[in-house]
Every structure is written in C-alpha cells, then in structure tokens.
Amino acid sequence: MTIKIKIAKTAKEIDDVFRLRYDVYVKEEGLYGDAYDAHQRIIDQFDVVPGAANIIAYNGDEPIATIRINGDTEIGLPLDELYDYSPYRASELAKDSVSTFGCAGMLAIKAKWRNKRKVIYALLKTAIGIGADWGSSHVLLSIRKETLSMYGRIGFEKVGEEKWIEEIQAYIFPMAALYSTVHEWAFGELSTKLTPFWVKNLGRISERVLLEPSEVLFHEHDAADDAYAIDHGWMSISKHDAQDHELVLANLSQGELFGELALLEGGERSATATAITSTELIVIEKAKLLEETKKDPAQLLELLQYFAKRVRETDEFLMVHSFAPQTSRVKYALRLLWESAQPDRKSPGVRVAKVGVDTIAMHSQIRESEVLAVLEIEKMDGRIEYGKKFVRFLKEPSADIKRVELAEQESLLKVSG
C-alpha cells in the first residue's frame, strides 16, 4: 500500500502525531508509566512554539511514523533539556557561519516498520528539506546507541559522552552536523541529474510517496493535482488506445519528473503512472512551486524551458513508435535507458540500468525475442552485458539513434504522404 509522508497540518493529522507517540512510547515500549494514560496523547511546549513542524507517515490511512523538527527559539531547543550543547554552539565549527540551529526529535515508529530503512530515511529527508527551507546551518540530535551507526552514515558526529535518561530507560548520545552535510546526503545524488531550478526547489519540498513494485500512483483520467520527481526507483508511464492496448510512453528513473501538466493546468491525468521497482517520489505541489516562481521570474523561464524540452521528447517518442521499424525501436529504447542509467562506481565510464528484457520489450512495444536479438548484437560488439534484471552499458549505444530514427521517420512520412 502507498506510504505518504507529509507535514501534519490538519487537526486530524496533528492529533494522529500525538496519539502515535503514545502508542509507540507507552504501549509498545512501556515508557513514561501512566503519565499520559488519561489523554493517550504525548505533547509538550515545543509542539506549539514558532518554528516547529511535525512530519507524519501514513500507510494508507494508518499513521505509522512521525518525527518533529524545531528551529531555535528564546526557550532554546527540546534537546537542550536532555544535554548541554553549549560547547558545540560555541565551537569554532559552529562560529564559521551565521549559525542557525535546528533539531530533530520525537521520532516514533510503529514496531512493524522499524526495520524499514526506507521509511526512516524518507522521514529524515523530509525533515532535512524543511530545515533547508528554514535556512538552518546546523542540526542537533540526541539518539540511542542502536541508531548511532545509521546517523553516522548520514553525516552526524558525536559531540559529547553518552548520558543515561531515566524517562526513556536508555543511554543517549548527543550528535550534530552541518546542514550542508546532511543536505548532501539527502539530495546530493539526485541534484547531479537536475537543473538548478529543480535542485533548489526539490531540496525544500516537504512531501514524499513510497511505492511497491506494480503499485499504481495514478490512473489515466484521474484528477491531476501534483507532479512528481523520482528520488529512487523506476516508474512506468503508459496509455491505452481505443482497443485497450497499452502503450508504454516512458520508463523513468532517478532525477526524472512526470505529471508536470498538473502544474500548468490541472484537469485529468493523460496517462497512468506505475512503479516498476520499489520507488520513492518527491511530491511537487503546484501552489508552492508557483509561489517560488513568482519570487524570481528567471525561475519561471527555466520552468517553461523544461516543459518545452519535454514536449519535444514526447513528439520524438511518438514518431519512433508510430513509424520506426522494430530494431530501431529497441535501439531507441536502449538510448533512453543509457541516458538514465546509473554510473558504475567501480568502473568509470560504465553505466548500469536495473531493468530486464521484459521491461525493454514493454517500452519498445515488441516481443521479448526481438529485444534479445538486438541485445545479443550489442553484446557481441562489446557494448553491453545484460541479465534478467540489468543492462550494463560498457560503451555508448551503437549509433546516433536519434539521428537515425529521425531520418527513417522523414523517409516513411514522405512515402505515406
């Protein structure tokens, strides 16, 4: 089932946050005794001060995880009540810039979801995006020993010794990081695939969606409200013709956007979006994006240029699938796959796409046996290696596919005209 992660804004969502804390801390972990039993909600003064945001994850309608972030206020940060962070605040590291501190806490995840790193990481990425939007320069945490290595991989470092906290019956470690460091963890890989406009805006957006393989995000003709960017995974974009035959318009990977027409006109979805693999999406809200473009007209121009590029790509795709021969359609699909494939960290110049023959056949709209014939030729030429679930590009695809395809299209159009 779809997992949605968002800032709690409505009365129900905020109440779900407070109830979820109680369910996790009191019912599941046995903490706090009967201090909260009367109301079965956990809330404190840091939930209502300026610069507070609670993030909540839903599996369908069920609240499953939450985390709170706070910006510094006159009464300090919630973590100041647990540990003395003043040495770090006064350190040379913290004084290198105009320091603005934030913290994350009140992390509560239902037991069945605690080993699902994708949920925890999606919560943290959402929190990091909000902190970046606030202009924070440093972030503080107090964490339990069992999560020390996880936060270390994100970029946090210990800034003090462990301390026993009676209320939670556990030792905590104070940790801190530069916001630029954790932002690089959250958005660095993605930002290499995007233009500056999208890097700036996606790194500050506060909603995410997690999908399982074959899960449909939206169907053709559904109401169109938001657009999406792929953080991890693959999405298939498809349509059905009058005879109900499916045409796969695109298989999209990390850094690619889809559903963009919703940002301009709303209306209905023109295609169906389905997850090919486990996929994490960033939700692009129309209102928030347009608000940003109003602040800076240059961003609006970049947005329009992006839409023009996507229109050209769609026109080219439809021409290839309407007029090009089957072999050329496979080569065209390989070209698009090569452009979106991930660089192999161990082998410079090599790219890897985690898709199989069936996916390429679906994308090309031809039989798998014909796809295999083209792949074998590319393999004999030393350009690719492939298996059931991957294609490894040792070299760029064998020809300037786009130029070849366009020439074929022009020839066929002349004959048909």
Side-chain angles (χ1 to χ4, degrees), residues 2 56 77 106 161 176 211 225 237 265 393 397:
T2 303
I56 187 163
L77 293 166
M106 285 288 189
E161 298 302 317
L211 301 170
D225 300 314
I237 310 300
E265 63 175 7
F393 293 94

Side-chain angles (χ1 to χ4, degrees), residues 247-250 311-336 360-366 400-413:
L247 171 64
V248 178
L249 301 176
V311 169
R312 287 195 299 270
E313 290 173 348
T314 301
D315 286 347
E316 183 179 87
F317 173 87
L318 292 173
M319 289 290 285
V320 168
H321 279 262
S322 296
F323 300 109
Q326 291 179 345
T327 298
S328 296
R329 281 156 60 181
V330 177
K331 290 184 177 180
Y332 182 80
L334 286 176
R335 163 65 64 171
L336 296 181
I360 299 173
M362 182 174 62
H363 186 86
S364 308
Q365 292 293 290
I366 64 173
D400 186 346
I401 304 298
K402 293 181 180 179
R403 178 169 53 79
V404 171
E405 297 298 352
L406 290 174
E408 290 173 342
Q409 294 160 18
E410 289 174 3
S411 175
L412 285 165
L413 284 172

Side-chain angles (χ1 to χ4, degrees), residues 287-301:
K288 188 165 185 177
L289 189 66
L290 294 182
E291 181 183 335
E292 290 299 319
T293 59
K294 288 177 183 177
K295 295 177 185 177
D296 182 2
Q299 291 195 88
L300 179 59
L301 176 61

Side-chain angles (χ1 to χ4, degrees), residues 117-165:
R117 284 292 174 88
K118 64 180 182 180
V119 175
I120 299 173
Y121 284 157
L123 280 176
L124 292 174
K125 288 178 184 179
T126 303
I128 290 167
I130 296 170
D133 198 28
W134 290 354
S136 301
S137 61
H138 298 73
V139 59
L140 309 176
L141 291 175
S142 291
I143 58 99
R144 300 184 190 187
K145 185 174 183 179
E146 55 265 30
T147 58
L148 192 63
S149 61
M150 181 185 78
Y151 283 102
R153 288 193 293 272
I154 293 172
F156 286 90
E157 296 181 354
K158 289 192 294 183
V159 293
E161 298 302 317
E162 67 180 5
K163 179 181 179 181
W164 176 260
I165 304 298

Side-chain angles (χ1 to χ4, degrees), residues 162-179:
E162 67 180 5
K163 179 181 179 181
W164 176 260
I165 304 298
E166 188 66 28
E167 283 184 315
I168 63 174
Q169 293 291 296
Y171 283 99
I172 64 164
F173 289 86
M175 302 192 81
L178 291 172
Y179 229 98

Side-chain angles (χ1 to χ4, degrees), residues 5 190 194 197-199 201-209 217 224-231 255-264 269 281-293 303 306-307 310:
I5 298 168
L190 181 63
L194 298 166
F197 172 84
W198 293 111
V199 171
N201 286 287
L202 294 182
R204 297 159 56 180
I205 283 173
S206 53
E207 294 196 9
R208 289 175 177 259
V209 174
L217 176 67
D225 300 314
D226 303 310
Y228 300 87
I230 302 174
D231 191 350
E256 297 188 89
L257 284 72
F258 61 95
E260 306 96 322
L261 285 179
L263 302 177
L264 293 180
R269 296 291 185 188
L281 306 174
I282 301 173
V283 182
I284 306 170
E285 300 173 80
K286 179 178 180 179
K288 188 165 185 177
L289 189 66
L290 294 182
E291 181 183 335
E292 290 299 319
T293 59
L303 181 60
Y306 171 81
F307 282 124
R310 290 304 297 265

